[in-house]
Structure formats: C-alpha cells, structure tokens
Amino acid sequence: MMMNGEQMMMMKVDNSKPRRKHFGNHLINGSSISSSSFSPSQKTMGVEAQETQETVDLSAMSLDTLPISSNLNLAMVRVLDISNNNLEMIPESLAARLLNMVELDVHSNQLKTLPNSIGCLSKLKTLNVSGNHIQSFPKTIENCRALEDLNANFNQLTTLPDTIGFELINLRKISVNSNKLIFLPTSTSHLTNLRHLDVRLNCIRSLPEDLENLINLEVLNVSQNFQYLEKLPYSIGLLISLVELDVSYNKITTLPDSMGCLKRLSKLSVEGNPLVSPPPEVVEHGVQAIKEYMSEKMTGAHQNSPKKRSWIGKLKKFGTFNGVKMTPEREGYVMPNYRTIDGLASPRYMGMFSPRRLFSPKSHFTR
C-alpha cells in the first residue's frame, strides 16, 4: 500500500517508555504529529531521522505493508507493535534485523505464517500473534529460548511444536485458546517454569499423561473442548502448585481420584460435564467438598490394590495426600536423606511418581 507523508508520520516512536498507552490520536511524547511539523524531506523519509528508537508503535494504522525505513536501526528496537493492521506477512529480512527484540505484538492482522527468521529473536520474551490465521509455527521458533509469554489465541493452529517443552524451557504462560488443537505435545509436561496454560475452545481429546513435572503450574484451563475431552490424566493430582482448574463444558464423567491431593486448589469449575463421580450433591458444595470426596474415594477404592495402596502411602509420606481413612501401609520406597515433596519437585525425582510407572506390572522401585 502506498502511503502519503502524513500517514508515514503517524508512526509512533517512543524510546522513553517501554510500555505504550493508546489515545484517540497518534502521539509522540504527548504531542500530536502533523505534516506541518516536518520538512518535505522528513515526510518522504518517514522515520529515517529516528535511528536509535527502542520502542516502535505502528498499531491500528490500516497497514498492508510495513513502511520501515532502511535507515532505522532495527537492532536497537526492543518493542515492536504492529497490531491491528491488515498485514498478511512479516518480511524475513525484517525479523532477521530485530536482534534485540524483547516484545513483539502482531495481534489482529491477516497473518497465515510467521517468518522463519523469527528464530533470530533470541532475546524475545513476549510474543502476541493472537487474532490471525496461523496454522502452525515455524520450526525455528524453538530458537526463541528466552520466550516467557506466548499468546496465540484465535488462530487456526492444529499443532504446537513437538519440541516446545525441550527448547522453550522459560515459558511461563501459554495461551492458545480458540484454535483447532487436537492434542498437546508430550514435551509440554517438561515445561517446569510454566505457570499458566490455557487451551480452552479447541478440539483437545486428551492431555499428556506425565503432568507431574509441571511443578509450578498454577492455572490450567481446558474448558469448552466439548465432546472431545472425555477424561483427565491421573497425574493431574501431582500438580502441586495448582490453584485454579477449569474443566467445564467437556464430556468428562469421572474426575481422577488423585484430585483429592491438590492441596492448593481453591477454584474448580466442572459445570457442563455429565459427571457421575463426584455426584451432583457433592459438586454443589464446592471445591473443598469435591477434594474431600475424591480423597476418601481414593482411599477406599484402592484398599485391595497393593500397587495403588503403595502409591497412596507415598503421597501421604511426602505431604501431598490428605486422606482421612488411610489404613496401615507397607513401607514404601524411601529416598536417601529424606526430603519433602518440595525438595523432590524436579524432573529428576518427579518422574518416579508417574502413575504410568507406579501402576505398571513391573515395579520401578525394586532394587
């Protein structure tokens, strides 16, 4: 799209504030910019005079292409906002020059893909690509290892990168609601720094079995996957930091008994499911009643199962189980130099408590 001088000057540039506030008019340092403020050469050169800006804001300008001058030192840009435009692509050459980018906001455009050169953004911490038409991420995104916050809501994603849990280990928040995801990569369970995971309004059929490594996860939202999600993994009871869980409007009939171990859980949404266990009369009394019911159910239901009884004993020993009808157990596996569950909450040790291992025919605790 061709732009006249005034449109070029409407680009907002601010190196004094890392965060931007939007007002009715496009402003720089609190003053409106008009074409009379610049000489003819400045009008045609756009932002060429601004060579060392750290924050560049091109949002809500109805742009079809990016009018960024070749004289702008993109290596100095730390925050780029090109949201709310009509962009269908981001040039490979542009992303490759944003070497010190920390925050990139491209939400509400017409993007179908991200450039492969996004892998050059090794310092990127916040990426917002929501409200586009993206179907998948380029493999090179695994090089954005500083990434902490990924927002890809309202796209057409069918998969996430297989290596997301092995490469993007600093992720603290993933928001991928309103997409077409069928499953989450198994590597997701290795994101030990993850605090917030939102996968509602997708087509999720199951969650990874080994969730126990998500030791810092506080908020999990898997609601509104409707007829697709029928059960939750047993390991959900080992999410020791979980505070908020939303599984509403799915097809879940039974909550895992292990949810009785979620001591920190204070907000639980289960409406819109054909629940049988716990029954409605328990659900209506709230989250604490549900936890107590699941705790008692786990204690009683497994009295005749040595393997599962042993697992319950370990949960009690390490402070994650609050059952009230516990019968005497045989001595479980004792770690050298006994430590609480907080001390064991690492990928090295938490794998030992994987239900898949503990409930398998072969004991993984024998020597």
Side-chain angles (χ1 to χ4, degrees):
M1 181 185 74
M2 297 299 294
M3 301 185 64
N4 59 35
E6 282 189 286
Q7 287 174 314
M8 291 288 285
M9 285 300 97
M10 288 178 70
M11 185 176 72
K12 297 165 282 180
V13 183
D14 181 4
N15 65 345
S16 62
K17 300 178 181 179
R19 310 293 297 178
R20 300 164 307 289
K21 295 183 179 180
H22 293 275
F23 302 89
N25 297 319
H26 297 291
L27 305 174
I28 294 181
N29 296 329
S31 302
S32 298
I33 294 180
S34 65
S35 59
S36 60
S37 303
F38 300 89
S39 67
S41 61
Q42 286 177 311
K43 293 180 187 180
T44 57
M45 296 304 289
V47 294
E48 288 186 6
Q50 308 291 341
E51 295 182 354
T52 60
Q53 303 301 334
E54 292 189 358
T55 298
V56 177
D57 189 344
L58 288 165
S59 62
M61 294 176 62
S62 300
L63 297 175
D64 294 322
T65 59
L66 292 173
I68 294 182
S69 165
S70 59
N71 284 0
L72 180 65
N73 187 357
L74 293 177
M76 297 295 295
V77 177
R78 294 175 58 82
V79 178
L80 175 61
D81 186 349
I82 51 178
S83 62
N84 289 289
N85 284 294
N86 300 314
L87 300 173
E88 295 185 0
M89 63 169 294
I90 299 175
E92 293 280 353
S93 59
L94 173 63
R97 294 165 59 196
L98 297 168
L99 301 179
N100 289 297
M101 178 69 61
V102 174
E103 179 179 340
L104 176 60
D105 189 348
V106 297
H107 82 264
S108 302
N109 277 283
Q110 303 297 321
L111 298 175
K112 295 182 179 179
T113 60
L114 294 177
N116 287 319
S117 57
I118 196 170
C120 297
L121 308 184
S122 60
K123 298 181 181 179
L124 188 67
K125 291 186 176 182
T126 302
L127 176 61
N128 188 345
V129 297
S130 61
N132 283 282
H133 306 290
I134 298 172
Q135 296 182 3
S136 63
F137 289 108
K139 180 174 174 56
T140 53
I141 199 171
E142 67 185 27
N143 295 323
C144 301
R145 293 185 175 88
L147 194 63
E148 297 179 358
D149 186 345
L150 174 61
N151 185 341
N153 299 333
F154 297 97
N155 276 282
Q156 298 178 21
L157 290 170
T158 56
T159 61
L160 293 178
D162 289 337
T163 58
I164 188 171
F166 302 132
E167 303 295 343
L168 303 182
I169 59 175
N170 290 304
L171 275 172
R172 297 168 62 90
K173 182 176 182 180
I174 299 177
S175 298
V176 287
N177 74 63
S178 306
N179 279 280
K180 299 179 180 179
L181 295 172
I182 297 176
F183 61 88
L184 297 177
T186 55
S187 67
T188 304
S189 60
H190 292 269
L191 293 169
T192 56
N193 289 308
L194 195 64
R195 264 72 171 172
H196 185 116
L197 177 59
D198 181 1
V199 293
R200 60 195 152 116
L201 286 164
N202 278 280
C203 305
I204 298 291
R205 286 165 168 74
S206 64
L207 295 176
E209 290 292 334
D210 300 328
L211 293 178
E212 62 268 25
N213 288 338
L214 301 181
I215 57 175
N216 288 303
L217 189 65
E218 298 175 351
V219 178
L220 175 60
N221 192 334
V222 294
S223 66
Q224 301 177 77
N225 283 279
F226 300 107
Q227 74 270 23
Y228 299 103
L229 187 60
E230 298 182 354
K231 66 177 183 178
L232 299 174
Y234 216 82
S235 58
I236 201 168
L238 290 174
L239 295 175
I240 59 176
S241 298
L242 196 64
V243 175
E244 181 177 337
L245 175 62
D246 191 342
V247 297
S248 59
Y249 298 99
N250 288 297
K251 204 175 179 180
I252 299 170
T253 57
T254 303
L255 296 181
D257 300 348
S258 61
M259 286 180 58
C261 303
L262 296 174
K263 284 189 172 183
R264 296 190 60 190
L265 188 67
S266 60
K267 184 176 181 181
L268 174 63
S269 300
V270 297
E271 66 271 16
N273 285 287
L275 276 179
V276 175
S277 177
E281 57 268 25
V282 173
V283 173
E284 67 183 13
H285 285 90
V287 60
Q288 190 58 38
I290 293 175
K291 288 197 295 182
E292 290 177 2
Y293 176 88
M294 304 313 294
S295 177
E296 294 180 7
K297 183 172 182 289
M298 181 166 61
T299 305
H302 302 326
Q303 286 180 347
N304 298 321
S305 175
K307 287 192 177 79
K308 294 183 180 181
R309 287 173 59 206
S310 179
W311 181 66
I312 294 171
K314 292 176 180 65
L315 288 173
K316 185 178 180 182
K317 176 179 292 185
F318 292 114
T320 62
F321 183 62
N322 57 357
V324 295
K325 296 183 179 180
M326 184 64 65
T327 56
E329 297 292 338
R330 65 184 182 184
E331 184 67 15
Y333 178 82
V334 181
M335 292 294 300
N337 300 325
Y338 167 79
R339 286 182 258 180
T340 65
I341 190 66
D342 293 331
L344 293 172
S346 70
R348 176 183 177 186
Y349 291 123
M350 289 299 286
M352 295 192 319
F353 297 98
S354 169
R356 186 166 57 186
R357 288 187 177 183
L358 291 166
F359 299 162
S360 65
K362 181 179 179 180
S363 174
H364 287 264
F365 291 95
T366 57
R367 293 298 187 199

